[in-house]
Amino acid sequence: MMLPVNTLVKERATGTVWRVLDEVSSTETKDITTTHFVLIELHTSGALPRFEGKLKTLSRIASDELVVIEEIVESINLMSLSSYDKELIERRWRLIQFTLRFRQRVWEQKFRGRLARRLADFGIFSKPFFYSTLRLYWQHGQTKEAVVTQMWRCGAPGVQRIAAEGAPKPGRPRSIQPGTGVAATEPHRRNMILAWASAPVGRDGRGLKKAWEWMLISRYPEHVRMLPRRDDTQRLEVENYDAVPTFEQFEYHWKHEHPFDVRQLKRMSQRRFELAFKPLLTGTLQEVRGPGTRYYIDATVLDVYAVSRFNPRRIVGRPTLYVVIDQFTRMVVGIYVGLEPPCWAGAMLAVWNCSVDKVAFCREYGIEITSDMWPTGYMPLHLMGDRGELKSEEADRLSAGFNIDVENATAYRGDAKGIVERMFRTLHAVFGPFLPGYIDKELAGRDAEPAVLRSAMTLEAITRAVINAVVIANTRVVRDYEGWPEVIADGVPFVPVSLWKWGVDNLRSDVRTFSDMHLKRHLWPKAQMTTTKRGLQLYRGLYYMGEELRRQSWFAQALHRKQLVDVVYHPLASGVAVALPSEARGPAHELSLVPRSRRLGGVSFSEVAALEFQKRRQNASAFWTNLPDQLSAYRDTIEDAARSRRLAERAKPRGETRAERTRDIRSNREEEINLMTSEVFLNTTGDDPTGNVVDADEQKSAPADEVTNRTADSVRRLLEARRRLPPPPTTSPTDPK
């Protein structure tokens, strides 16, 4: 075994640590039996080198009597030392260089003694300086840093020193404040502690001034007096400045007793403190092989209020934005904007958007781009989110459908996916100042108009603004990007779309593509449709049917059993849906709205729900508004029926039978028609009727004058009877009973 110079060995029994200074041999053959180690005890003030046989030392190490230990040396910056320290180090180093000229003879005790006496006799170095310098050099590693002064150990650093009673004030003398000051003795410190505990200082020290004043009044009444003022108030005056601590002393000891980290922990809690003051040692490109290796996903509530596109005066709240970003390129590969709160459906629709052709997607919102401005991201190998949506049981469906490694960040550790958290601020900074209804937290004041009152953007308009912001973010230069030398050598700027193209061409790309139907089946939200005669009903008023389902023979049986059909749908596109097969290996079928529901094809499901809710509110309001008129008409009908019943009872002859009552219904009907006709003629012309409307058989058998006179008499009797009737009451009639 070899023991290099400066190796430290420790005795197990006593704990003594020795340093190997040199290996010397008395012969030219360097036999192990004649070779010795020069050792010096490390932690003894008067230690000197001694010899020990190499064979003995190695045997003691083999028997575990000695153990080789590792030395921990603190690095010393010689250039940062004071001029006095530098001068002393150079003086010591000249002595060391002079001694090293004698090589192995310096290990001999007699030679060292003669050398020390000669240097002292000539007045170059004293014997104590000679031995102390060599001892420092040998014990601390035989380097120039070993002879550095140990002044930093003077004064018991780290040990609290409390001045004794009557001791002078430490530090430099006063030049501005009056008096000479007082040292912070134990009684003064006790008064300070009482002041900190009694007065509301606060975690950030805002009340230190008031606490200091409280201490002067309550703890030093003999040195403080109250002087009256003209307005019957009192003024505080300190009589002896050299008997009370100053505010600077009070503040200094408060900061010493309450360190910055402790105060911040009390203010911010443990997790917020770690998030704010944790050093960012690792980059964002660790364990990333290329584009598509790991995507980050997160959601935020946008700082802008949206309105309904059917009624701009109707505020629908703040939308939710989901963003999926690639770790390697910092490119936004998928988004989703909806009115739903953060949920699993929104997260999966954002993941589905990664595989959508971005040119066609932007064209749906009236934005024309090229594929180079926003490449299609497809599906990643790893997907990381927070402990929210991806913590649900549905994550197993995502992992099984696409073989994605779903990861969840630690709780309350948004910095684990800091690039997507920073992207929210970037997007807000792009479109925020230009949108009405944007919540500007920096410029909002008490007299400013609330942002909710300025809202005018629909969900579709906000989505267009987000898409434009994403296009800008994907084509900007990313600051502080940890790029590789190969990227710079190839002339690739640190732009997300350029990094994506370079990574696809030169590195391993882990993106994967799947069929459109496979993406819909595993990423769109699931629901159930009820089979009705109008079609498959997903929501009130939304009926679907597909060509394949219409041809199948199961529709009649499903209609009879009210069978439920599993489907997937897109919340922002109510016009399409996909029916999942009921069998294990059956195909999925595309569904579309039936003609009766196509009026709702261009609205989202949230808008359908809002319209349905608004319809029910309007109908309920109309019901209560029209109810008084309906009740009034209903009351008139009841009054007319009661009055007619009383008139019929009054005109009933005594002893009339049922047969007599129903005998001449047809002739009575004809006579009533004639009377009504005559009455109309009489009211129109003012003359007596001529009797043109009479019974044909009676007209044939009776003379014309007789028929005319009979009809005129009947009309006159009817009119006289109606004139004698009382007018209809204006209030509810009393019960005839």
Side-chain angles (χ1 to χ4, degrees):
M1 180 179 180
M2 182 179 65
L3 286 182
V5 174
N6 282 335
T7 302
L8 298 181
V9 292
K10 180 179 180 181
E11 294 184 2
R12 285 185 176 272
T14 61
T16 305
V17 180
W18 300 85
R19 181 185 294 277
V20 178
L21 299 179
D22 198 0
E23 180 179 341
V24 296
S25 177
S26 59
T27 61
E28 295 296 333
T29 58
K30 294 186 178 180
D31 187 10
I32 191 173
T33 58
T34 60
T35 303
H36 294 76
F37 285 126
V38 182
L39 306 177
I40 188 172
E41 193 174 349
L42 203 63
H43 302 298
T44 302
S45 58
L48 290 174
R50 73 179 183 88
F51 294 92
E52 183 174 304
K54 182 177 180 180
L55 183 61
K56 178 181 178 181
T57 303
L58 295 180
S59 62
R60 293 176 65 188
I61 293 176
S63 62
D64 285 343
E65 184 179 348
L66 290 179
V67 181
V68 178
I69 62 175
E70 183 180 358
E71 182 180 13
I72 301 176
V73 180
E74 296 182 358
S75 179
I76 301 175
N77 186 7
L78 300 179
M79 302 303 298
S80 63
L81 299 177
S82 64
S83 58
Y84 173 78
D85 291 336
K86 290 181 180 179
E87 183 180 354
L88 182 57
I89 291 173
E90 292 300 329
R91 187 164 178 259
R92 290 176 176 178
W93 188 242
R94 287 196 300 270
L95 174 60
I96 296 299
Q97 288 180 326
F98 173 76
T99 308
L100 292 179
R101 290 160 50 185
F102 300 100
R103 301 183 182 275
Q104 295 185 359
R105 294 186 61 187
V106 76
W107 306 128
E108 300 176 6
Q109 183 177 1
K110 293 181 179 180
F111 178 80
R112 286 197 307 268
R114 290 196 303 268
L115 184 60
R117 286 193 300 270
R118 293 287 299 273
L119 293 175
D121 293 341
F122 285 99
I124 302 176
F125 299 106
S126 64
K127 290 182 63 176
F129 182 82
F130 175 82
Y131 282 105
S132 62
T133 301
L134 290 180
R135 190 176 295 112
L136 280 176
Y137 177 74
W138 291 331
Q139 289 181 337
H140 292 84
Q142 304 186 89
T143 61
K144 189 174 183 179
E145 295 180 356
V147 296
V148 174
T149 60
Q150 303 292 316
M151 294 296 182
W152 63 274
R153 298 183 182 273
C154 299
V159 179
Q160 188 177 14
R161 290 167 290 178
I162 302 177
E165 193 68 30
K169 175 183 173 295
R172 62 184 179 180
R174 291 183 176 181
S175 59
I176 299 177
Q177 295 187 11
T180 59
V182 62
T185 60
E186 186 65 32
H188 292 309
R189 298 196 179 201
R190 192 181 306 113
N191 293 335
M192 293 179 186
I193 295 174
L194 290 176
W196 300 333
S198 301
V201 175
R203 295 175 180 174
D204 54 352
R206 295 181 182 179
L208 277 176
K209 193 75 173 180
K210 297 297 181 182
W212 176 69
E213 295 174 354
W214 179 91
M215 181 187 68
L216 295 183
I217 297 173
S218 60
R219 307 304 300 177
Y220 299 93
E222 65 277 8
H223 302 293
V224 177
R225 64 177 178 174
M226 307 298 293
L227 299 179
R229 292 180 177 176
R230 294 180 180 180
D231 53 355
D232 296 336
T233 59
Q234 292 182 338
R235 180 173 60 89
L236 184 65
E237 183 178 279
V238 180
E239 294 182 346
N240 188 1
Y241 292 100
D242 295 335
V244 297
T246 62
F247 174 73
E248 287 74 13
Q249 287 177 305
F250 187 80
E251 183 181 19
Y252 169 81
H253 288 284
W254 180 80
K255 291 182 178 180
H256 180 74
E257 295 292 336
H258 302 84
F260 175 79
D261 56 342
V262 176
R263 286 185 278 125
Q264 293 299 324
L265 275 173
K266 291 181 179 179
R267 293 184 61 189
M268 306 177 64
S269 76
Q270 182 69 29
R271 62 180 182 86
R272 292 183 59 194
F273 177 80
E274 293 179 355
L275 186 62
F277 297 99
K278 187 191 71 171
L280 302 178
L281 304 179
T282 59
T284 59
L285 299 181
Q286 303 295 324
E287 301 178 359
V288 179
R289 296 176 294 189
T293 301
R294 178 178 285 105
Y295 286 175
Y296 291 110
I297 183 172
D298 201 1
T300 186
V301 179
L302 289 175
D303 293 339
V304 60
Y305 285 93
V307 299
S308 173
R309 61 172 171 168
F310 301 104
N311 184 5
R313 302 300 302 172
R314 227 170 137 254
I315 302 173
V316 297
R318 295 162 57 183
T320 300
L321 170 64
Y322 268 94
V323 170
V324 185
I325 190 169
D326 178 55
Q327 181 181 2
F328 176 78
T329 62
R330 312 285 183 87
M331 187 181 74
V332 177
V333 292
I335 62 171
Y336 172 73
V337 183
L339 294 176
E340 305 87 358
C343 58
W344 169 261
M348 291 303 98
L349 290 173
V351 176
W352 172 74
N353 185 258
C354 298
S355 300
V356 173
D357 182 16
K358 297 305 187 296
V359 177
F361 171 70
C362 294
R363 188 178 295 117
E364 294 178 1
Y365 291 91
I367 301 174
E368 294 295 335
I369 65 171
T370 61
S371 58
D372 295 336
M373 299 172 63
W374 193 357
T376 304
Y378 301 107
M379 299 300 291
L381 191 63
H382 304 276
L383 180 64
M384 172 176 279
D386 50 17
R387 299 172 61 88
E389 301 85 357
L390 300 185
K391 193 68 175 177
S392 64
E393 298 178 355
E394 296 291 338
D396 297 335
R397 181 162 63 102
L398 178 65
S399 179
F402 301 98
N403 193 22
I404 292 180
D405 183 15
V406 179
E407 304 174 5
N408 286 280
T410 309
Y412 305 108
R413 291 294 302 274
D415 57 325
K417 44 184 178 55
I419 57 176
V420 68
E421 299 285 354
R422 185 61 181 87
M423 182 56 65
F424 290 140
R425 293 183 58 189
T426 302
L427 298 180
H428 275 105
V430 172
F431 65 78
F434 306 100
L435 300 188
Y438 176 71
I439 305 173
D440 196 337
K441 300 177 182 178
E442 295 183 359
L443 301 180
R446 290 188 176 181
D447 56 343
E449 183 183 10
V452 65
L453 299 180
R454 301 193 304 268
S455 56
M457 301 284 291
T458 62
L459 182 64
E460 183 178 0
I462 294 176
T463 305
R464 284 197 298 269
V466 172
I467 292 175
N468 288 322
V470 169
V471 172
I472 295 174
N474 286 343
T475 54
R476 82 195 192 285
V477 177
V478 181
R479 296 182 301 174
D480 300 331
Y481 182 80
E482 305 97 357
W484 289 271
E486 295 84 357
V487 180
I488 303 175
D490 291 344
V492 180
F494 288 170
V495 175
V497 291
S498 301
L499 292 173
W500 179 276
K501 185 177 183 303
W502 182 87
V504 172
D505 296 338
N506 297 275
L507 299 179
R508 173 176 177 176
S509 178
D510 292 322
V511 295
R512 295 167 297 166
T513 179
F514 297 89
S515 65
D516 186 59
M517 184 61 69
H518 185 81
L519 293 169
K520 292 178 180 179
R521 288 183 59 176
H522 290 86
L523 296 179
W524 280 14
K526 280 187 174 183
Q528 287 185 330
M529 289 186 180
T530 305
T531 307
T532 64
K533 295 189 68 176
R534 298 180 178 181
L536 301 178
Q537 182 180 6
L538 177 60
Y539 193 75
R540 185 175 299 180
L542 290 178
Y543 297 93
Y544 295 82
M545 184 54 66
E547 293 297 332
E548 295 82 358
L549 297 181
R550 187 178 301 172
R551 300 191 192 99
Q552 294 180 3
S553 60
W554 63 266
F555 185 78
Q557 186 177 2
L559 179 64
H560 175 70
R561 297 181 177 180
K562 299 291 182 181
Q563 183 177 344
L564 298 178
V565 180
D566 294 330
V567 297
V568 292
Y569 66 96
H570 196 291
L572 297 182
S574 60
V576 294
V578 177
L580 301 179
S582 57
E583 302 85 7
R585 297 182 177 274
H589 304 288
E590 295 279 354
L591 301 179
S592 60
L593 289 172
V594 300
R596 70 168 59 247
S597 300
R598 287 176 184 172
R599 69 188 189 280
L600 301 175
V603 298
S604 63
F605 280 90
S606 58
E607 292 174 335
V608 171
L611 291 174
E612 179 65 24
F613 179 73
Q614 182 67 16
K615 181 190 73 173
R616 295 176 62 183
R617 289 187 60 182
Q618 293 173 355
N619 292 342
S621 177
F623 171 78
W624 291 104
T625 302
N626 300 330
L627 184 60
D629 296 337
Q630 297 175 3
L631 294 178
S632 178
Y634 184 61
R635 182 196 62 184
D636 294 342
T637 302
I638 295 176
E639 291 177 355
D640 291 343
R643 185 169 58 254
S644 300
R645 191 181 299 109
R646 289 197 302 271
L647 292 177
E649 291 294 335
R650 192 183 305 167
K652 179 181 179 180
R654 286 183 178 274
E656 184 181 23
T657 62
R658 294 182 179 179
E660 294 174 352
R661 173 79 172 167
T662 60
R663 181 177 299 163
D664 299 326
I665 295 178
R666 180 175 295 181
S667 59
N668 293 340
R669 178 176 178 275
E670 295 175 354
E671 184 177 357
E672 183 67 20
I673 292 175
N674 294 332
L675 292 176
M676 293 172 62
T677 304
S678 301
E679 182 179 4
V680 172
F681 182 80
L682 181 61
N683 293 335
T684 304
T685 61
D687 298 332
D688 291 340
T690 59
N692 294 331
V693 183
V694 295
D695 187 24
D697 297 336
E698 185 177 357
Q699 187 176 7
K700 291 180 181 180
S701 59
D705 296 339
E706 183 180 356
V707 173
T708 301
N709 295 335
R710 187 191 316 164
T711 304
D713 293 341
S714 300
V715 172
R716 292 189 184 94
R717 290 195 301 271
L718 178 62
L719 294 176
E720 292 176 358
R722 290 185 177 180
R723 292 190 189 99
R724 291 193 297 270
L725 291 176
T730 58
T731 59
S732 299
T734 58
D735 194 339
K737 296 183 180 180

